Amino acid sequence: MSIRKRFVFPILYLLFNIAIIPPIAKSFGREKLPTFSKEIKPRNWCYPLLFRNYVAPNLKKQLQNDASVFYKSTSMPITYLDANFPFIDGFPLFPHLSHNDGKKVDLSLMYLDEKKEPTDKKPSVSGYGVYVNSEDNYTVKRCRNNGYRQYDFTKYLSFGTIHELDFYQEGTKHILQQLLSNSSTQKIFIEPHLKQSLGLSNEARIRFHGCQAVRHDDHIHLQIK
C-alpha cells in the first residue's frame, strides 16, 4: 500500500469529524462540545474523535457558562467525558444506560497533585474507573451482593492509571454547586457517600442512580430538563 493511500482514511475521518458531521448534527438538535477551550475540555482526544461529545444546544450553553465562571474563580477547566452521539434520540452510547438524547454529560471530579495543589490532571487515561473511597463502600457492597455485578465494571475501562492524585473535595463541591445554580439542571448522579462527605445531603437534585447503573464516585453525571 502506498503512503498516499495510507493517509486517505485518516484524512477523510478528520474531515467528517471537523467539517461534515457538526453541521448535520445541528439538524438533529445536537452540538459539539468545545475541544480547544481553556475553560472546558475533553479528558482526552478519544471523546471528540469518536463523536462522543455532542449535546443539546442548551446543555452546551449551560456548560460553557458554568465553565467560564468556574475558570474565573479557580483557573481550572471543567473536564468532560462521555456526552452523546451526534444523531438520533434513543441511540445508545455504550456502556451508558441513558446518554441518548443530548441532555446528559459526564464530568470529571477534581484532584490535587503530589504538592497538594489543584490540578486538571485526572488519575486514569479514560477519566473513569479510579474511585474515591473505594474501600468499604456500603453502596457497592449492597449492589454487588444483590446481584448487580456490573456496578463497578468501569474499573476495567480506566485504560490505565497514569497519575497518583488525591481527591479534591472543595474543587468538586465547587463544580457541583455551580451546576446546581442553574434551574435547568434536572438531576446529578454521584455516589451517596460523596454527597454526604461534600455536605450536599439536603440537595434533592443530587440523587442515587440505582444499582442497575455503574458507580459514580469516579465522575459526575449531569442531566438537564
Side-chain angles (χ1 to χ4, degrees), residues 164-177:
E164 293 294 332
L165 305 172
D166 292 326
F167 176 55
Y168 183 25
Q169 282 197 329
E170 183 181 346
T172 300
K173 183 175 181 179
H174 193 161
I175 289 178
L176 289 167
Q177 289 175 324

Side-chain angles (χ1 to χ4, degrees), residues 14-40:
L14 287 174
L15 179 64
F16 269 80
N17 194 290
I18 295 170
I20 296 177
I21 298 300
I24 296 175
K26 283 191 175 183
S27 65
F28 288 86
R30 307 279 171 87
E31 294 186 6
K32 193 175 184 179
L33 287 173
T35 305
F36 300 104
S37 170
K38 64 181 180 180
E39 298 173 348
I40 179 170

Side-chain angles (χ1 to χ4, degrees), residues 27-207:
S27 65
F28 288 86
R30 307 279 171 87
E31 294 186 6
K32 193 175 184 179
L33 287 173
T35 305
F36 300 104
S37 170
K38 64 181 180 180
E39 298 173 348
I40 179 170
K41 64 179 188 178
R43 169 63 191 93
N44 58 53
W45 281 92
C46 288
Y47 294 104
L49 285 176
L50 296 176
F51 303 99
R52 301 172 77 93
N53 65 329
Y54 283 81
V55 295
N58 50 343
L59 177 51
K60 179 181 178 180
K61 182 178 180 180
Q62 176 178 325
L63 280 175
Q64 288 179 310
N65 290 339
D66 287 341
S68 178
V69 173
F70 186 74
Y71 187 84
K72 287 177 181 177
S73 60
T74 66
S75 298
M76 289 287 154
I78 287 179
T79 302
Y80 65 83
L81 308 171
D82 272 333
N84 308 262
F85 282 135
F87 312 128
I88 309 174
D89 284 354
F91 192 84
L93 183 80
F94 180 81
H96 304 278
L97 296 176
S98 63
H99 287 235
N100 58 12
D101 59 3
K103 297 180 179 181
K104 289 96 174 181
V105 63
D106 287 345
L107 307 174
S108 290
L109 308 177
M110 291 296 294
Y111 297 91
L112 300 171
D113 62 19
E114 64 277 0
K115 297 180 180 179
K116 305 303 178 185
E117 295 291 333
T119 179
D120 63 350
K121 295 178 181 178
K122 308 303 172 186
S124 73
V125 173
S126 70
Y128 295 102
V130 177
Y131 308 117
V132 176
N133 190 26
S134 60
E135 299 297 326
D136 244 3
N137 189 311
Y138 171 76
T139 306
V140 174
K141 289 180 178 179
R142 176 168 61 86
C143 289
R144 288 179 61 84
N145 289 340
N146 286 333
Y148 296 95
R149 309 303 297 177
Q150 88 297 336
Y151 195 70
D152 56 356
F153 173 76
T154 46
K155 65 187 178 185
Y156 301 113
L157 299 177
S158 68
F159 301 115
T161 300
I162 53 174
H163 299 294
E164 293 294 332
L165 305 172
D166 292 326
F167 176 55
Y168 183 25
Q169 282 197 329
E170 183 181 346
T172 300
K173 183 175 181 179
H174 193 161
I175 289 178
L176 289 167
Q177 289 175 324
Q178 181 59 43
L179 298 175
L180 290 166
S181 70
N182 297 281
S183 59
S184 59
T185 294
Q186 184 179 41
K187 64 181 74 171
I188 291 172
F189 292 152
I190 57 174
E191 285 292 315
H193 74 83
L194 280 184
K195 181 177 180 179
Q196 183 176 8
S197 65
L198 293 174
L200 297 169
S201 297
N202 293 327
E203 175 52 62
R205 286 179 293 172
I206 299 181
R207 304 179 187 176

